[in-house]
Amino acid sequence: MKKKHAEHENSGYGVYVVTWLALLILTAITVTVSGMNLGKVSVLTALAIATIKGSVVLAFFMHLKYEKPMFTVMFYIVLMTLAVFIGLTFFDILFR
Amino acid sequence: MSATAGIAVHHHRDYTGSKIGMWLFLFTELLLFGGLFLLYSVYRAVHPEDFHHAAMELDKLVGTVNTLILLTSSLTMAVSIAAIHRARKGLSLVCLALTIGFALWFLVNKYFEWGAKFDHGIYPNSEILLQHSHGEILFFGLYFSMTGLHGLHVLIGAVVLFVVGIKLFKKPFETIEFDGRGLKQLTGARLAVVDERGGRLWSSDTIDDSVKAVEIRLKYHPVRKRVRKEDYAALENSGLYWHLVDLIWIFLFPLFYLIT
């Protein structure tokens, strides 16, 4: 944990600039893809790219990569809770 | 205070504790928006065609520009925190000011975007909107409430960052407390203030057993070197809030502007 914290303090400007560039590229991709008429696939690609972008923000900008693993576990618990709600709701909607 | 070497300076701060508290709050925010995303996906599943047509009416360019603004503001926020880690107060404050500037820019764009919609008679419960199909009314209802709630978060984030920035800019006082162990080491010694060349400016009486506590109150000008490691917490936690605002927009943007 000590080592992780040291890493955290050392995470430099360069890492953030690269993170930012990656996010810009992903944005460019998602906007370009939305211009093509891919039908049903377009929803999936847009959400997939948004998920990648979100993970990058969480890992690097929000330091989840450098914090204790407990924070990531807590985050996944919240995500699972949300997934259960969404799953159960759609189970209801689709079979009504 | 340099005369007494080896004294443990004890700060009553709990890094992990403050982080957990902030993340718990962020989780409630995620569930709040999560509920709205659920609402969106259910209505989209029920009215796919209407959502498709309604989304075409949104300005993809404004949405993209606002995405770029928020992503860049996240960069300046992260750099601001990295700068304070390196005790570079000036750079940190400049980046913080940039972040707030981007937040305001985002809101100005939002103002013009909503204004254009209002000019076309599209706002909640407007006569023109009510002539649209049921699904389109739902789409615009969700559009106004979700981007509106997000915009409110942008505004709150900007205010929080402003307050933290002002505090960081001022920061004239700091109290350092010695723990009991440190006090024992001080017994028999004197406290002294020494100038750069080692000249004694002031010295205290000898510290004996009758002394129960030593409190040193430092007053200094906000020099960049004076920002301590322990001062990160407020900036880091408000930074986390700011990144969350960015994170939510990352999902709002494709759902409203791109999936057409």
Side-chain angles (χ1 to χ4, degrees), chain B residues 6-225:
Chain B
I7 288 173
V9 177
H10 184 74
H11 283 263
H12 293 287
R13 277 157 183 153
D14 181 356
Y15 177 84
T16 307
S18 86
K19 275 280 132 64
I20 293 174
M22 191 63 204
W23 273 101
L24 285 178
F25 169 63
L26 296 187
F27 292 153
T28 68
E29 292 278 50
L30 280 176
L31 291 175
L32 169 69
F33 277 95
L36 290 168
F37 279 120
L38 173 59
L39 211 55
Y40 173 94
S41 47
V42 167
Y43 283 136
R44 193 188 171 90
V46 178
H47 308 277
E49 288 298 310
D50 290 344
F51 269 55
H52 173 83
H53 289 303
M56 303 256 267
E57 289 185 44
L58 293 186
D59 192 340
K60 197 194 265 188
L61 182 67
V62 178
T64 310
V65 168
N66 268 351
T67 303
L68 298 181
I69 289 172
L70 274 196
L71 289 179
T72 311
S73 79
S74 256
L75 172 69
T76 54
M77 186 70 236
V79 170
S80 172
I81 292 167
I84 211 78
H85 279 230
R86 288 159 180 72
R88 294 186 63 183
K89 188 172 169 178
L91 178 64
S92 179
L93 282 171
V94 167
C95 285
L96 204 55
L98 281 173
T99 311
I100 296 168
F102 283 126
L104 297 180
W105 189 7
F106 178 93
L107 288 175
V108 167
N109 284 348
K110 204 90 241 167
Y111 168 80
F112 284 115
E113 192 193 359
W114 276 28
K117 285 277 159 301
F118 287 2
D119 285 345
H120 289 104
I122 294 178
Y123 50 88
N125 231 13
S126 74
E127 278 177 31
I128 294 177
L129 185 58
L130 289 179
Q131 286 161 9
H132 285 59
S133 67
H134 191 56
E136 284 182 79
I137 297 170
L138 284 171
F139 178 89
F140 279 107
L142 285 166
Y143 163 74
F144 281 117
S145 48
M146 287 175 82
T147 61
L149 188 63
H150 177 265
L152 189 65
H153 278 74
V154 172
L155 187 64
I156 293 169
V159 171
V160 169
L161 291 180
F162 182 74
V163 171
V164 170
I166 293 289
K167 278 184 123 173
L168 193 63
F169 179 70
K170 282 177 155 178
K171 249 200 108 12
F173 291 99
E174 179 159 339
T175 311
I176 299 171
E177 290 166 39
F178 296 98
D179 58 15
R181 193 160 39 96
L183 189 58
K184 208 168 232 173
Q185 285 179 16
L186 281 178
T187 308
R190 291 165 188 265
L191 293 179
V193 177
V194 183
D195 68 15
E196 285 164 52
R197 279 159 299 178
R200 187 166 291 192
L201 300 173
W202 169 88
S203 72
S204 74
D205 292 339
T206 308
I207 297 170
D208 55 26
D209 290 342
S210 69
V211 177
K212 287 282 169 269
V214 175
E215 187 183 289
I216 301 174
R217 215 164 255 266
L218 296 175
K219 183 179 182 179
Y220 44 66
H221 295 291
V223 189
R224 61 183 191 184
K225 289 233 166 61

Side-chain angles (χ1 to χ4, degrees), chain A residues 6 11 13 23 31 40 60 67:
Chain A
S11 62
Y13 307 124
L23 289 168
V31 171
K40 285 232 166 187
F60 294 99
E67 298 285 1

Side-chain angles (χ1 to χ4, degrees), chain A residues 5 8-13 16-17 20 23-24 27 30-31 34-35 42-43 46-47 50-51 53-54 57-58 61-64 67-68 70-71 74-75 78 81-82 85-86 89-90 93, chain B residues 15-16 19-20 23-24 26-27 30-31 34 38 41-42 45 60 64 67-68 71-72 74-75 78-79 82-83 85-86 88 91 229 236 240 243-244 246-247 250-251 253-255 258-259:
Chain A
H5 201 73
H8 172 203
E9 286 177 7
N10 289 336
S11 62
Y13 307 124
Y16 294 133
V17 172
W20 173 68
L23 289 168
L24 290 191
T27 307
T30 193
V31 171
S34 81
S42 74
V43 181
L47 282 178
T51 308
K53 283 170 77 182
V57 168
L58 282 161
F61 281 158
M62 298 176 88
H63 289 162
L64 274 190
E67 298 285 1
K68 293 174 185 172
M70 175 187 67
F71 287 92
M74 279 161 63
F75 182 79
V78 173
T81 312
L82 207 55
F85 277 121
I86 293 173
T89 311
F90 270 91
I93 295 290
Chain B
Y15 177 84
T16 307
K19 275 280 132 64
I20 293 174
W23 273 101
L24 285 178
L26 296 187
F27 292 153
L30 280 176
L31 291 175
L38 173 59
S41 47
V42 167
K60 197 194 265 188
T64 310
T67 303
L68 298 181
L71 289 179
T72 311
S74 256
L75 172 69
V79 170
H85 279 230
R86 288 159 180 72
R88 294 186 63 183
L91 178 64
K229 208 173 140 185
E236 281 193 355
L240 278 177
H243 295 311
L244 180 94
D246 187 21
L247 184 67
I250 284 175
F251 284 92
F253 170 58
L255 288 182
L258 294 185
I259 304 175

